[in-house]
Amino acid sequence: MNSAVSRRFALFLGVALGAGALTAGVASGAAAQDKPVLKFAAVFSDTDIRADAMRQLGEALSGDFTFQPHFGATLFKQGTELVALQRGNLETGIVAPQDIAKQLPSWSILTAAYLFRDAGHLKQFFESEAGQEMKAMAEEKLGIHIIAPVYFGARQVNLKPEKTIETPADMAGIKLRMPGGDAWQFLGSALGANPTPMAYSEVYTGLQTGAIDGQDNPLPNDYNMKFYEVTSQIVLTSHLIGYDLFAVSGETWKALSDEQRRTLESEVEKAVDWSTQKHLDEEARLVQFFKNEGLKVYEPDLDAFRRHAQQMYLESDFAKDWPEGMLDKINAL
């Protein structure tokens, strides 16, 4: 092969290889662009069990989506996630049912005390026909698609006095610290106590000095705040099953294919189930921990508490917007 031919062949080969690389690059870039970006926002910290679950979710979705989690309310402030989803500024996020109820009063039933018995009942409801009805209502009225409830613990009563609590009548006269706000104060009354508003940061001192007789929180909070150091017992009232909702913006949901929707829902449910079990394991561990610390830990007459609380709610203004028959459907599950 003479030198002129060699130069022409080399030039041809270079152009061909360059075109091939360009084609491959474009194909690769197109494939990357085909993966929807899902920004995710949550108020819980990056050390939370739920954050671990969301990181696992990101890995599971990596073949089909680009999942970008933001924890500790760093992307949107607490309470603004719902509006961000509605405006299309956020693709996915954790939304409190209380925030939904502010815009959709019918949803206030799903924030009431003694509605769900435990984490299993919570999941069962949202998978039931009644749960689908409430999710469809939120999708139609608010423009969000709810995939699953995200459990984070049951609230229990933690008292300084050693008086045994079996029914709401035994709570009479007990100064029970509750968060501020009418709904929380009403909940304290529904437990039979004398609700007392107090800042969370002041609760330990309040228990220590006797300004309050008790407080209510999930067991991990009691542990982290060391309330067990200044109290004598934990009454496993399980009066409020704590949960938020994994939601997708309506705009994002409509843009997904049926296969993408199935993948997202399936992987979210797996991650949430893992998180729920981790929370239940931690709650069981803490029951034994508190007993080892010398506290009495026991379950009262839960049916008596449930009947008392539900009757108070039904007779209050809180129930005026509840969907007719929904409480009976939930109780029947």
Side-chain angles (χ1 to χ4, degrees):
M1 184 182 292
N2 62 37
S3 60
V5 173
S6 296
R7 284 195 298 274
R8 286 196 298 273
F9 179 73
L11 180 61
F12 169 78
L13 185 62
V15 170
L17 289 172
L22 179 61
T23 302
V26 170
S28 175
Q33 290 176 355
D34 287 341
K35 289 169 60 173
V37 174
L38 302 179
K39 294 191 300 295
F40 170 86
V43 68
F44 48 74
S45 75
D46 61 359
T47 60
D48 192 285
I49 290 171
R50 290 165 291 177
D52 288 339
M54 293 303 104
R55 282 188 282 265
Q56 291 179 29
L57 174 63
E59 293 176 7
L61 292 174
S62 60
D64 302 280
F65 299 90
T66 300
F67 188 70
Q68 300 175 347
H70 299 266
F71 307 122
T74 53
L75 191 60
F76 292 97
K77 292 181 180 178
Q78 183 174 12
T80 66
E81 302 91 348
L82 174 57
V83 173
L85 289 167
Q86 291 173 305
R87 291 178 176 173
N89 296 328
L90 179 66
E91 289 79 28
T92 64
I94 296 296
V95 176
Q98 291 84 355
D99 291 335
I100 293 178
K102 288 176 184 176
Q103 293 191 34
L104 191 57
S106 295
W107 259 70
S108 65
I109 187 173
L110 301 184
T111 69
Y114 284 110
L115 186 72
F116 301 117
R117 294 185 292 275
D118 50 35
H121 188 212
L122 171 70
K123 180 180 180 180
Q124 183 184 12
F125 166 73
F126 277 97
E127 291 177 345
S128 72
E129 185 177 331
Q132 296 299 323
E133 178 184 332
M134 296 301 287
K135 289 196 290 185
M137 185 189 303
E139 188 152 7
E140 178 187 351
K141 303 290 186 183
L142 304 184
I144 60 169
H145 180 80
I146 294 168
I147 293 182
V150 184
Y151 173 80
F152 59 81
R155 294 182 80 94
Q156 315 290 3
V157 168
N158 176 210
L159 299 176
K160 186 175 184 178
E162 297 183 1
K163 177 183 180 182
T164 299
I165 305 297
E166 288 296 336
T167 69
D170 297 323
M171 294 285 287
I174 287 179
K175 294 175 290 185
L176 187 69
R177 179 269 173 183
M178 299 295 293
D182 292 344
W184 285 109
Q185 295 298 297
F186 183 84
L187 171 55
S189 297
L191 292 172
N194 178 19
T196 305
M198 179 179 286
Y200 189 51
S201 59
E202 300 172 5
V203 172
Y204 185 98
T205 303
L207 289 165
Q208 196 172 37
T209 62
I212 53 174
D213 299 316
Q215 59 88 32
D216 90 306
N217 263 297
L219 298 184
N221 296 44
D222 296 341
Y223 174 78
N224 293 334
M225 297 298 287
K226 298 185 184 296
F227 294 147
Y228 59 89
E229 294 180 344
V230 287
T231 54
S232 70
Q233 61 172 316
I234 293 176
V235 188
L236 300 174
T237 48
S238 299
H239 50 275
L240 198 64
I241 300 303
Y243 74 98
D244 289 318
L245 298 146
F246 189 105
V248 182
S249 80
E251 181 180 311
T252 298
W253 187 252
K254 288 175 184 175
L256 298 180
S257 67
D258 289 343
E259 184 178 353
Q260 288 172 325
R261 290 179 181 182
R262 285 193 295 270
T263 297
L264 182 57
E265 287 194 318
S266 174
E267 296 302 336
V268 167
E269 287 167 1
K270 289 177 189 176
V272 167
D273 285 346
W274 180 89
S275 174
T276 297
Q277 189 56 55
K278 286 292 184 182
H279 277 91
L280 293 173
D281 292 345
E282 178 64 2
E283 287 176 302
R285 183 189 73 81
L286 287 174
V287 165
Q288 190 56 52
F289 171 83
F290 293 134
K291 287 181 178 179
N292 292 344
E293 289 294 310
L295 275 70
K296 288 198 315 181
V297 184
Y298 61 96
E299 193 174 274
D301 184 343
L302 293 180
D303 287 339
F305 271 94
R306 184 173 293 106
R307 286 194 302 270
H308 182 266
Q310 288 193 354
Q311 189 60 38
M312 283 193 65
Y313 273 95
L314 287 171
E315 293 173 356
S316 75
D317 287 341
F318 288 99
K320 70 179 187 300
D321 295 308
W322 291 4
E324 186 175 354
M326 184 58 68
L327 180 60
D328 291 335
K329 292 178 184 178
I330 295 172
N331 286 339
L333 290 173

